[in-house]
Amino acid sequence: QKEVEQNSGPLSVPEGAIASLNCTYSDRGSQSFFWYRQYSGKSPELIMFIYSNGDKEDGRFTAQLNKASQYVSLLIRDSQPSDSATYLCAVRRGYQKVTFGTGTKLQVIP
Amino acid sequence: DAGVTQSPTHLIKTRGQQVTLRCSPKSGHDTVSWYQQALGQGPQFIFQYYEEEERQRGNFPDRFSGHQFPNYSSELNVNALLLGDSALYLCASSVQGTGQPQHFGDGTRLSIL
């Protein structure tokens, strides 16, 4: 079982729709959860981070965490073509190493 | 406020050679982590440096080594390069003990011929 699992996609959504990206993790001791956006050929850019169960909103982005289900998700509202990228889910236990998933490729269709 | 800077941007080497990649952390950050990202994969943790010592290490052979300097900058060294070492090498910096997210540099694209 992979430590962090994501559907590789591509996930295609029309412009203006809500994109829902999902991630599961295997380490129940994970305490910090991150979403990074990565454009092709570029480095990861931090989008959201969440530490507690529930929802955290920042502009068009909402991160959702359910530790009991070992599940974290990212919602992107009013998706724009510029949101087309690969979204990496990452988890960390305490101050240990950050473990990344393989990423989900999102395509926003104009 | 400078972010994380890495050099060089691109590098081409041949099998068996050695390479050194460099990273300067974001101002105020004291911890540097290195990652390897192969095409189509997520970043894989190589190791982390804090207070000039390797604190954690991922599942990489000892051909991969590093160093951190008193100014917090860091180097990643890879010896006896293999074709499979071709990847994007990412440096991320953070502040030890805060739990805050890491910030990534633009990476070094290493190609092995």
Side-chain angles (χ1 to χ4, degrees):
Chain A
Q1 181 186 10
K2 290 183 179 179
E3 294 180 74
V4 180
E5 294 207 50
Q6 298 181 253
N7 188 317
S8 60
L11 172 66
S12 294
V13 300
E15 183 174 355
I18 296 176
S20 178
L21 303 161
N22 305 315
C23 171
T24 59
Y25 59 94
S26 61
D27 182 1
R28 283 196 171 274
S30 298
Q31 297 170 296
S32 306
F33 305 87
F34 311 95
W35 283 100
Y36 287 85
R37 177 176 64 197
Q38 187 173 30
Y39 292 112
S40 181
K42 301 296 186 181
S43 66
E45 172 193 9
L46 181 69
I47 298 296
M48 293 283 293
F49 59 93
I50 186 167
Y51 302 141
S52 303
N53 275 330
D55 295 358
K56 180 181 179 182
E57 185 175 319
D58 184 2
R60 296 187 297 114
F61 299 96
T62 298
Q64 299 176 315
L65 175 61
N66 184 326
K67 289 185 178 180
S69 300
Q70 296 176 245
Y71 178 91
V72 58
S73 65
L74 178 70
L75 301 179
I76 306 175
R77 290 180 297 281
D78 188 24
S79 295
Q80 301 297 309
S82 59
D83 294 326
S84 298
T86 295
Y87 289 80
L88 297 164
C89 172
V91 304
R92 182 176 66 195
R93 169 196 281 262
Y95 303 131
Q96 300 299 308
K97 66 174 185 175
V98 176
T99 301
F100 286 82
T102 55
T104 297
K105 186 173 183 178
L106 172 66
Q107 294 178 339
V108 180
I109 311 301
Chain B
D1 181 19
V4 181
T5 58
Q6 291 187 244
S7 63
T9 305
H10 294 90
L11 205 51
I12 299 175
K13 292 286 187 179
T14 58
R15 283 178 295 173
Q17 284 189 310
Q18 176 265 343
V19 68
T20 297
L21 311 181
R22 296 176 174 82
C23 172
S24 291
K26 180 180 169 66
S27 178
H29 287 190
D30 57 10
T31 300
V32 172
S33 300
W34 287 92
Y35 294 83
Q36 179 195 67
Q37 187 176 23
L39 202 60
Q41 301 297 315
Q44 297 294 310
F45 177 78
I46 303 175
F47 43 55
Q48 181 186 83
Y49 276 84
Y50 170 64
E51 290 186 331
E52 303 180 48
E53 291 187 12
E54 183 183 294
R55 299 291 177 166
Q56 301 177 57
R57 189 178 182 92
N59 189 25
F60 278 81
D62 57 12
R63 297 187 298 111
F64 291 77
S65 63
H67 189 78
Q68 186 180 34
F69 299 93
N71 66 353
Y72 309 120
S73 67
S74 176
E75 290 182 348
L76 164 65
N77 301 292
V78 187
N79 294 322
L81 287 166
L82 304 174
L83 292 178
D85 295 332
S86 294
L88 179 66
Y89 287 84
L90 296 162
C91 169
S93 72
S94 56
V95 180
Q96 187 69 232
T98 63
Q100 292 300 304
Q102 298 174 333
H103 293 259
F104 283 88
D106 289 338
T108 294
R109 174 73 63 186
L110 176 62
S111 299
I112 311 301
L113 303 180

